[in-house]
Amino acid sequence: MPDIILKDITMIYPFQKVSGLFDRKQKKLILEHQKQMPYTSNEGVIAVQHFDTTIKDKAFTVILGPSGSGKSTLLRIIAGLERPTLGEVWFDDTDYTDIRAEERDVAMVFQNYSLYPNQTVYQNIAFPLEVKHTPREEIDVEVKKISELLKLTNKLDRLPQDLSGGEKQRVAIARALIRRPSIVLFDEPFSNLDVLMRSHLRSEIKKIHDVYGTTFVYVTHDQYDALSLADRIIIINNGIKQMDDSISEVYNKPLNRFCFEFISSASANIFEDIEVSKDGSFSLCGADYKLDQKQFKKLGKDRKMTVGIRGTNIEIGHSGIEAIVEYAEMIENDLYVHLVCQDQKLTVIEKTNNSDIIKYSHNQKVRIVFDETHFHFFDQEGNRL
Ligand code: ADP
Ligand code: MG
């Protein structure tokens, strides 16, 4: 089974040949936006640009990025459903750039399940083996095996319309796995499912990866998916790779402000335009801190920076800086306390239980402490100091 090597991939979708005010406006906007990109083109929409990576054999790699950042395009390029405008796709030491999808040992699972509506679960799962003219008895054995793993054994006679969303996606995964492809691609497979079903399937898919030991590439805009599934996370924005590393590096040392905010989601707090004095000291909400020498040296001449800290690294207690509570809310099992501290809005996250929400009321004075070992510093371009 191979490593997937993407070499300097750029993908440009040509503008559709349609006229009309709306399209021209749209096109103008896109071109304006693309002017600031490293790869400029007037030919069409730049979906992916100068993208290099090696996706390790057998690993669980998550490609994480906002909507429209080029994730699906990358998967389609790996699958062979799209040919990159520039660059090459290699599986180990073989150039696959011009090899058709059918000749790649790759299966794909989509967000919308794409099951055959008039076929039973059994027939849907068996389909890839039917196409290969696998003997009937063998198909039977394989369908039984995979449906046990995906808890579908008692659903085999049903039609897709009689399944829940989670079950439909299980069928789609079973169908993708049955011919034991060496690479399985998942394009936001759980986006249509509710929170509980998502977390169920998340832990199952992790188990399936362990059992099958093949290469999984999983695309999502959800940082929880990424943090709970990945061996390795690739963060993408505007078609440009932002970071490509282990979970702990991505989480603990985000390379730029975008990565920090995206991986932290609602827990990100940002202090803009923080001035650093000549000796490296700076203050946040009236409390004083100091940059270490290494970070100080990377600062620009104007000595300004952005500071990030997660809500989980701020503590509400008996000492520290004074802040005023705006409101508190429970999100899943965490308490999010929204505060204002010297005009700076902050969100503190406490691991807690439901009854604690009554601890905080609007306009209440509290004291907070930042865990300074968890500050993230970025220069004015957004790069990590
Ligand atoms: P993601 O999966 O991260 O949401 P996509 O890869 O689908 O992003 O799309 C990346 C960019 O390419 C978007 O701006 C999108 O509008 C554009 N795009 C995707 N497919 C096409 C297409 N077939 N024709 C024109 N533009 C496209
Ligand atoms: Mg997509």
Side-chain angles (χ1 to χ4, degrees), residues 20 40 95 108 146 176 178 202 204-205 228 315 337 357:
T40 30
D95 185 352
M108 194 150 164
I146 193 80
I178 196 158
R202 232 185 245 144
E204 269 172 40
I205 208 163
S228 54
E315 202 179 332
V337 189
I357 197 160

Side-chain angles (χ1 to χ4, degrees), residues 116-279:
Y116 303 106
N118 300 323
Q119 297 195 358
T120 63
V121 168
Y122 184 102
Q123 288 167 325
N124 265 287
I125 298 175
F127 184 76
L129 295 185
E130 303 266 2
V131 176
K132 285 198 333 189
H133 305 293
T134 310
R136 187 127 303 282
E137 309 76 57
E138 210 177 298
I139 293 185
D140 229 33
V141 172
E142 291 300 320
V143 172
K144 292 241 160 69
K145 230 192 275 173
I146 193 80
S147 31
E148 251 163 54
L149 186 66
L150 282 146
K151 304 196 179 98
L152 288 166
T153 315
N154 57 3
K155 305 273 162 29
L156 290 174
D157 298 332
R158 294 207 192 167
L159 288 173
Q161 68 196 41
D162 302 321
L163 299 175
S164 70
E167 287 163 350
K168 281 184 204 162
Q169 199 52 292
R170 285 204 173 92
V171 177
I173 295 170
R175 185 182 56 187
L177 291 173
I178 196 158
R179 59 181 176 84
R180 299 178 176 274
S182 48
I183 299 165
V184 189
L185 308 175
F186 297 88
D187 195 352
E188 314 229 20
F190 305 151
S191 301
N192 292 347
L193 306 176
D194 60 53
V195 176
L196 200 64
M197 183 55 70
R198 286 177 79 107
S199 80
H200 254 322
L201 275 176
R202 232 185 245 144
S203 64
E204 269 172 40
I205 208 163
K206 188 87 181 147
K207 265 186 245 157
I208 291 167
H209 177 254
D210 292 342
V211 173
Y212 268 72
T214 62
T215 308
F216 278 20
V217 186
Y218 182 109
V219 152
T220 182
H221 65 272
D222 179 335
Q223 77 283 4
Y224 291 112
D225 272 0
L227 292 169
S228 54
L229 291 171
D231 298 321
R232 201 173 181 86
I233 298 179
I234 300 173
I235 300 184
I236 181 172
N237 188 31
N238 272 331
I240 304 168
K241 190 173 81 170
Q242 305 291 315
M243 199 166 176
D244 182 353
D245 219 318
S246 66
I247 292 190
S248 81
E249 284 295 302
V250 169
Y251 194 77
N252 296 320
K253 289 186 191 151
L255 273 183
N256 57 39
R257 177 176 166 173
F258 176 83
C259 292
F260 171 74
E261 289 191 76
F262 203 73
I263 202 82
S264 314
S265 184
S267 76
N269 292 295
I270 292 279
F271 297 85
E272 310 260 10
D273 285 331
I274 299 300
E275 274 184 51
V276 183
S277 356
K278 279 187 184 132
D279 66 348

Side-chain angles (χ1 to χ4, degrees), residues 13-14 16 45-47 66-74 187-188 219:
Y13 293 107
Q16 302 295 329
V45 182
I46 305 172
S67 165
S69 57
K71 306 181 297 296
S72 297
T73 302
L74 278 174
D187 195 352
E188 314 229 20
V219 152

Side-chain angles (χ1 to χ4, degrees), residues 21 23 28 39 52 77-78 81 94 130 155 157 187 208 226 257 259 289 317 346 350 358 363 370:
L21 192 60
D23 292 294
K28 213 175 138 201
Y39 191 95
D52 278 301
I77 287 171
I78 296 170
L81 299 171
T94 311
E130 303 266 2
K155 305 273 162 29
D157 298 332
D187 195 352
I208 291 167
R257 177 176 166 173
C259 292
Y289 305 93
L346 292 171
E350 294 190 332
I358 53 174
N363 277 339
F370 300 120

